[in-house]
Amino acid sequence: MHAWLCENPVGVDALTWKELPTPTPGPGEVLVEIAAASLNFPDLLIVQNKYQFKPPLPFVPGSEYAGIVRAVGPGVTHLQPGQPIACLSGTGGFGTHTLAPAERCIPLPAAFDLTDAAAFIMTYATSYHALIDRATLQPGETVLVLGAAGGVGTAAIQIAKHHGARVIAAASSADKCALAQRLGADATLDYSVHTAGGSFRDEIKRLTEGRGPDVIYDPVGGELAEPAFRSIAWRGRYLVVGFAAGPIPQLPLNLPLLKGASLVGVFWGDFARREPQANAAMLQTLAQWYLRGHIKPVIDRVLPMEQLPQAYALMASRRVMGKVVLRNAH
Ligand SMILES: NC(=O)c1ccc[n+]([C@@H]2O[C@H](COP(=O)([O-])OP(=O)(O)OC[C@H]3O[C@@H](n4cnc5c(N)ncnc54)[C@H](OP(=O)(O)O)[C@@H]3O)[C@@H](O)[C@H]2O)c1
């Protein structure tokens, strides 16, 4: 087998593509032949030693992948060799094979495309948990999605539309806004034109006829957060999803008071760990929605696994629309 090895977590340049012995699964593990792996934001942080989870060295990055089970370890009963699976295990995905914890592998029906499956769990689970569970989004309500052309943003548009909400998609370029519109957004807001210090709030007001959005989905943070919160509707719910822009915003606590609004934290990883049954039921629902054609991962491009550094560079450049997926040739 081959894999991208991180022996020194000082950034992408220090990763090396190495031949390694193919491992044998131990108790509770399966050997997966990886078909495809997708890039998520934490994959960038983890190789820079900036992520909250710091795996022992050396490790193979790649949090999310899909492939075929080739061998099962002792005690594994729900998976057999030949079974297609998707897995989000934190590490191991950027290679040709990996040992995966069987309990984290989701068996896939044959109709589930493996490239889509590799780009599915993190984004859709986060956005469903945020919008439907944490914000209790109602059909007919208006959602403002920031970073709407990113991984979780594109999933949020599709989920909110399928749920019957009105979606305003906000992003940093005309191309990103056009993608959001193709995904079903009812209106778009380009915040390179309507800037945080400029007409951003006026534009939100105009697009919501003065009411403000009922729900704001924010994976970006930075300078957009406070003007967005100031624009929220009475009884609004502001979803704190992530800080892709870097700085963690500081919000004056009089703002939630004035709008009777809620600031709602979203931490899908811990939800999955603390409430595994609710998470499993949610993933079942999402898989059904995919198989019925209601949702589909937006894949910006598919690159060969050997081109991981180019994929990382694309993600860091803020030019990716949807997800970048790496595929193995086998
Ligand atoms: N809370 C949770 O459970 C959870 C789960 C998954 C992900 N997250 C977090 O959600 C955030 C987004 O994840 P993602 O996978 O959707 O990432 P992504 O695909 O890279 O999208 C992030 C979006 O953020 C915007 N952005 C603004 N400033 C940026 C910058 N300096 N660099 C990069 N992007 C910037 C970009 O949109 P514009 O160019 O349009 O601004 C980009 O499309 C991350 O912070 C991630 O850690 C949280």
Side-chain angles (χ1 to χ4, degrees):
M1 66 166 278
H2 278 78
W4 284 98
L5 207 61
C6 179
E7 293 167 289
N8 187 12
V10 292
V12 176
D13 292 346
L15 297 175
T16 47
W17 180 242
K18 285 214 164 143
E19 185 168 7
L20 302 166
T22 306
T24 304
E29 292 178 333
V30 294
L31 175 69
V32 180
E33 182 182 274
I34 295 169
S38 75
L39 234 68
N40 288 297
F41 217 74
D43 297 320
L44 188 56
L45 302 178
I46 206 168
V47 299
Q48 300 168 332
N49 208 25
K50 289 183 186 165
Y51 193 52
Q52 61 228 33
F53 167 57
K54 300 192 193 311
L57 298 170
F59 70 93
V60 175
S63 51
E64 182 171 17
Y65 49 88
I68 309 290
V69 172
R70 289 300 177 208
V72 301
V76 176
T77 51
H78 76 294
L79 297 170
Q80 289 83 39
Q83 170 70 55
I85 58 101
C87 187
L88 203 152
S89 60
T91 55
F94 297 151
T96 57
H97 298 75
T98 193
L99 286 181
E103 61 179 24
R104 299 232 190 134
C105 293
I106 299 173
L108 297 171
F112 212 124
D113 175 78
L114 290 180
T115 299
D116 284 351
F120 191 77
I121 301 176
M122 173 80 100
T123 50
Y124 286 94
T126 298
S127 294
Y128 188 105
H129 173 55
L131 293 168
I132 312 294
D133 184 358
R134 301 293 289 125
T136 58
L137 177 68
Q138 301 299 313
E141 287 193 316
T142 297
V143 188
L144 171 65
V145 179
L146 305 177
V152 297
T154 49
I157 295 174
Q158 294 180 10
I159 288 169
K161 282 310 297 174
H162 182 59
H163 197 62
R166 174 169 182 262
V167 174
I168 301 172
S172 68
S173 71
D175 283 352
K176 289 184 173 184
C177 286
L179 167 69
Q181 211 152 24
R182 290 197 295 279
L183 295 176
D186 301 278
T188 59
L189 189 166
D190 180 345
Y191 45 69
S192 68
V193 176
H194 301 289
T195 58
S199 54
F200 181 67
R201 288 199 61 199
D202 293 337
E203 192 60 6
I204 295 175
K205 207 169 187 176
R206 189 182 71 79
L207 292 170
T208 57
E209 291 166 355
R211 279 191 71 249
D214 302 293
V215 173
I216 298 180
Y217 180 98
D218 183 6
V220 178
E223 60 177 9
L224 293 174
E226 186 173 331
F229 197 100
R230 284 182 184 276
S231 306
I232 206 163
W234 174 249
R235 285 184 182 269
R237 288 86 78 202
Y238 192 98
L239 293 163
V240 182
V241 180
F243 312 105
I248 296 182
Q250 311 283 313
L251 196 73
L253 279 182
N254 64 318
L255 298 181
L257 181 153
L258 289 171
K259 294 290 181 74
S262 311
L263 196 58
V264 183
V266 177
F267 189 177
W268 170 68
D270 240 36
F271 162 71
R273 193 176 61 78
R274 291 167 186 266
E275 302 178 44
Q277 287 180 343
N279 183 55
M282 181 181 86
L283 288 170
Q284 285 271 353
T285 301
L286 285 167
Q288 287 306 315
W289 284 8
Y290 171 83
L291 293 170
R292 291 184 192 136
H294 301 316
I295 56 176
K296 182 166 172 63
V298 177
I299 311 279
D300 181 296
R301 71 194 75 186
V302 179
L303 297 173
M305 186 64 79
E306 292 83 349
Q307 289 183 17
L308 177 65
Q310 288 92 320
Y312 268 123
L314 278 169
M315 175 169 247
S317 74
R318 201 175 165 178
R319 277 182 291 132
V320 174
M321 298 208 273
K323 304 262 297 177
V324 176
V325 174
L326 298 149
R327 275 246 23 155
N328 281 312
H330 52 228

